Amino acid sequence: MWDNKLMLFIAINVAAAVFYLHADAYDPDPLQDFCVAVNDSDAAVFVNGKICKDPETVTADDFFHSGRLNRPGNITSPFGTKVTMVFINQLPGVNTLGVATARIDFAPGGVNPPHLHPRASEILVVLKGTLYAGFVTSNPSNPTDKNRLFAKILKPGDVFVFPKGLIHFQYNIGKSSAVALVGFNSQNPGVVTVSKAVFGSDPPVEPDTLAKGFQLDVDVVRYLQSLPWIGNN
């Protein structure tokens, strides 16, 4: 009897531990004070994150990134926006720390188009201008119900949060330029620009699939696939 109770106790605790790890673990957690990333593009071993630099060779510069976020980004994209990232590739010291940041510059009428971050939630702080920003929920359990939109008009000093993995956007509705700073709970949040992913994949998605999925004429789909889609990153 005690053997059965012991096995049940162990099974419950293992299941709880697995659930806890699945629910809470995301970016690799540090097992030492820090794990400054090195350029491992030529390494023969692949890891979930970056290979650590020898701690004895780490300096303060590994945790420092100079001067990019106080300067306006050079807006050249057709969206009228520029995202200046400080992720793992720009700041090696964030490796395993689960943080990253970026600056977003908006021309008048500029939009950070609908996109999602597969590995991070995002918090946005408006520094200048007026933004319309929001996110859309995942599909409701009832297929006839609509996805909910949560959106606000944001002014300097306002803060808005976008949950991980949900489609979101920001749009400059003011008559002058706008600036926002964003933070992520991942060293490498990733970004999926919806329009580029759907209509600009290589090789292209079979047009009839998109025509039925988006309830569009197949010729419209082929036209959209012919456009030079880019991501905003």
Side-chain angles (χ1 to χ4, degrees):
M1 178 181 292
W2 281 108
D3 286 345
N4 290 339
K5 289 183 177 179
L6 179 61
M7 291 300 293
L8 179 60
F9 176 80
I10 293 172
I12 291 172
N13 279 274
V14 169
V18 170
F19 175 80
Y20 177 82
L21 289 172
H22 176 75
D24 291 340
Y26 208 62
D27 273 10
D29 288 328
L31 298 177
Q32 56 275 331
D33 286 347
F34 47 77
C35 174
V36 173
V38 298
N39 184 1
D40 56 0
S41 59
D42 297 325
V45 177
F46 292 90
V47 298
N48 185 25
K50 294 280 189 179
I51 296 172
C52 299
K53 188 177 183 179
D54 182 348
E56 296 300 319
T57 67
V58 170
T59 71
D61 285 340
D62 292 311
F63 305 98
F64 174 73
H65 187 77
S66 178
R68 293 182 67 194
L69 298 189
N70 67 328
R71 299 197 300 263
N74 183 23
I75 299 174
T76 60
S77 83
F79 304 125
T81 51
K82 171 63 178 178
V83 179
T84 303
M85 298 181 296
V86 183
F87 292 1
I88 179 65
N89 290 331
Q90 292 79 34
L91 183 55
V94 304
N95 195 38
T96 76
L97 300 185
V99 292
T101 189
R103 169 181 171 139
I104 312 176
D105 288 277
F106 300 81
V111 63
N112 195 6
H115 64 283
L116 60 91
H117 303 290
R119 295 181 288 275
S121 298
E122 174 182 350
I123 186 167
L124 176 143
V125 182
V126 178
L127 301 182
K128 176 185 175 183
T130 304
L131 298 178
Y132 171 61
F135 65 89
V136 180
T137 62
S138 55
N139 292 355
S141 56
N142 185 343
T144 62
D145 290 344
K146 293 184 177 181
N147 301 54
R148 294 186 66 189
L149 169 66
F150 293 88
K152 293 284 288 184
I153 293 176
L154 308 176
K155 296 183 181 296
D158 289 345
V159 179
F160 202 79
V161 175
F162 308 98
K164 180 173 69 177
L166 296 186
I167 294 173
H168 58 283
F169 59 87
Q170 302 99 31
Y171 174 46
N172 182 5
I173 60 174
K175 296 182 179 179
S176 60
S177 61
V179 180
L181 286 181
V182 296
F184 303 93
N185 63 338
S186 170
Q187 66 189 43
N188 186 24
V191 61
V192 180
T193 305
V194 176
S195 55
K196 180 178 185 291
V198 172
F199 297 109
S201 65
D202 184 19
V205 178
E206 201 283 321
D208 284 335
T209 303
L210 297 180
K212 291 181 179 179
F214 283 88
Q215 301 182 50
L216 296 172
D217 185 275
V218 70
D219 290 334
V220 174
V221 170
R222 291 194 178 100
Y223 167 73
L224 291 172
Q225 290 180 319
S226 72
L227 299 177
W229 293 103
I230 66 169
N232 197 29
N233 60 338

